[in-house]
Amino acid sequence: TAVRGMARALQDDGVRKGDMVAIYAPNSCEYAVALHGALLAGAIVTTLNPLYREREVEHQLADSGAKAVFALGALMPVVEEARKQLPKIEHVYALEDAWRMAEGNRDPDPVTIDPMTDLAVLPYSSGTTGLPKGVMLTHQNLTANIRQTIATNLSGESAVVLDFLPFYHIYGMVVLLNLGLALGSTQIIMPRFDPEAALSIIQQHKVT
C-alpha cells in the first residue's frame, strides 16, 4: 500500500517514466518505500553512498540527470549545497517523510515497462580507475538475479535476515532487501554495520 501511495505521490509531482530519482540515505524501512515507489511510477533509481560529501553527491546527481532526490534529513544540507549547481533537480524529499507522502493516495497510473530494455536502477561503480560510473541495470537484470539467488535455497519465507550491507550497493539492494521482499522473509535492518550490535541482534532475534 505504501509503495503504491508513493508512486502516486511521485506521479502527482510530475515524475514520469524514465525520470531519474536518487536516494541518498543509509538503510531503513523507508528506503524500500522510496525505491519501489519510484520504480512503480516508472522512474529509474540511482543510489548514493550516504558517506558521500558535496562534490561526490553533485557528480552523481549531475551525471545521472536526477530529477528528484530522497535524502535522510541529516544529509539534506549536503543535497541543498550540491543542488545549487544542478538546475534539473525539481524535488528534494526527506526520506523520513515517506510514510506521510504515501498515505491516503489513490493507486498510481499504470506504466508500461519492458523488463528486458527499460532501466530500473543506476548504481555507481567504486570508481577505482577514475570517477564512479553508472551501471545500467534493467528490471530483468534485477529479477533474474533474485531468481538465481532463490535457486540457491540460502533464504526462504521463514528466514530471519540481518540487512547489514548497504542498500545503495547492488548486493544489499538485491540479495538482502529485494530477495527478502520477494520471499516474505523477516528482515532486520541495520543503518550501518557495527560488529557488537550485529552479534547482539543475531542472538536476540535468532537471525538465520
Side-chain angles (χ1 to χ4, degrees), residues 4 24 37 58 72 88 109 124 133 165:
R4 292 195 297 271
Y24 173 48
E58 184 180 329
L72 188 72
K88 189 170 182 178
D109 293 331
Y124 272 63
K133 302 168 183 66
L165 294 171

Side-chain angles (χ1 to χ4, degrees), residues 184-204:
S185 308
T186 298
Q187 300 190 66
I188 302 166
I189 297 172
M190 294 189 75
R192 61 179 300 175
F193 180 70
D194 174 84
E196 190 171 329
L199 290 172
S200 176
I201 291 168
I202 289 169
Q203 185 173 27
Q204 179 184 350

